[in-house]
């Protein structure tokens, strides 16, 4: 995870210095290999499951579990920042940046919910994270990998 944040920070620094950088991976690759798995860590942290064996509340049990949840939210915010760099915004509409900024903002709320160790807030904010992601995917369907589809190279 430290590599992920260090890599994102490096990309942001290069962009801030005015150097144009091609994305290291396409949007589809970034979403499939990094953003979606990170979001899934957050979403899986708190669940309410009802099945044939009864009702089950899944919540982080240890400080390490809560830290994993917090870290996933922090990384989602970093991905939102990355998606606002010229390498990813070039050729896209202004709403792309708005969607990306919304991811940053909701990820910060998600991180606070994890820091507060509040399962209800993690669950609720997780739904909002999902809604932000879904809204962007509806506006940019070509950028969204199909579930289970292999990811190929090239910019989406």
């Amino acid at each position: 995870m430290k590599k992920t944040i260090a890599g994102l920070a490096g990309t942001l620094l290069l962009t801030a210095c005015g150097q144009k950088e091609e994305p290291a991976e396409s949007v589809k690759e970034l979403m499939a290999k990094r953003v979606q798995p990170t979001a899934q860590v957050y979403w899986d942290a708190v669940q309410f499951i009802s099945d044939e064996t009864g009702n089950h509340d899944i919540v982080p049990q240890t400080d390490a579990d809560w830290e994993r949840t917090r870290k996933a939210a922090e990384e989602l915010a970093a991905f939102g920042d990355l998606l606002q760099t010229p390498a990813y915004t070039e050729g896209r509409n202004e709403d792309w940046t708005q969607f990306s900024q919304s991811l940053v903002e909701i990820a910060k709320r998600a991180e606070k919910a994890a820091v507060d160790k509040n399962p209800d807030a993690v669950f609720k904010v997780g739904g909002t994270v999902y809604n932000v992601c879904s809204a962007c995917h509806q506006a940019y369907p070509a950028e969204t990998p199909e579930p289970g589809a292999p990811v190929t190279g090239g910019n989406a």
Side-chain angles (χ1 to χ4, degrees), residues 2-79:
K2 287 182 182 179
K3 286 183 181 180
T4 299
I5 292 179
L8 292 172
T11 299
L12 290 172
L13 283 174
L14 285 174
T15 324
C17 293
Q19 296 179 9
K20 184 174 185 314
E21 181 180 309
E22 292 296 318
E25 54 198 342
S26 73
V27 172
K28 282 187 180 184
E29 290 172 323
L30 179 68
M31 292 294 169
K33 293 178 180 177
R34 297 170 53 184
V35 177
Q36 200 287 327
T38 301
Q40 198 65 53
V41 168
Y42 191 84
W43 291 325
D44 287 349
V46 176
Q47 302 176 54
F48 303 101
I49 301 170
S50 181
D51 61 19
E52 62 279 349
T53 64
N55 296 326
H56 312 279
D57 291 336
I58 310 297
V59 297
Q61 298 296 309
T62 66
D63 287 343
D65 293 341
W66 282 109
E67 176 59 15
R68 189 178 320 58
T69 305
R70 187 206 64 76
K71 194 72 163 167
E74 177 184 57
E75 288 181 13
L76 288 173
F79 289 133

